[in-house]
Amino acid sequence: MTPIERAFELARSGKCRTLTEIKSALKSEGYELATVTGGTLAKQLRGLMVAHAEIK
């Protein structure tokens, strides 16, 4: 699984509530964070985290 795929998985899981938490989780799992950057990606991940929070 790529770092970006894992970031999306974490955003959907509800385990992370912020981008900082996603990046910390990725780093602790041994993923390279260089590809997990950019405004569009951040917006998508935030949207998933908000959507998941609304479901719960």
Side-chain angles (χ1 to χ4, degrees), residues 26-45:
L26 290 170
K27 187 175 180 180
S28 72
E29 293 176 13
Y31 285 97
E32 180 62 47
L33 300 181
T35 59
V36 186
T37 60
T40 302
L41 177 61
K43 184 177 179 178
Q44 290 172 328
L45 293 172

Side-chain angles (χ1 to χ4, degrees), residues 1 6 11 13-15 20 25 28 31-32 34 43 46 50 55:
M1 181 177 295
R6 181 63 179 140
S13 73
K15 294 178 182 179
T20 301
S28 72
Y31 285 97
E32 180 62 47
K43 184 177 179 178
R46 281 190 196 103
V50 167
I55 292 171

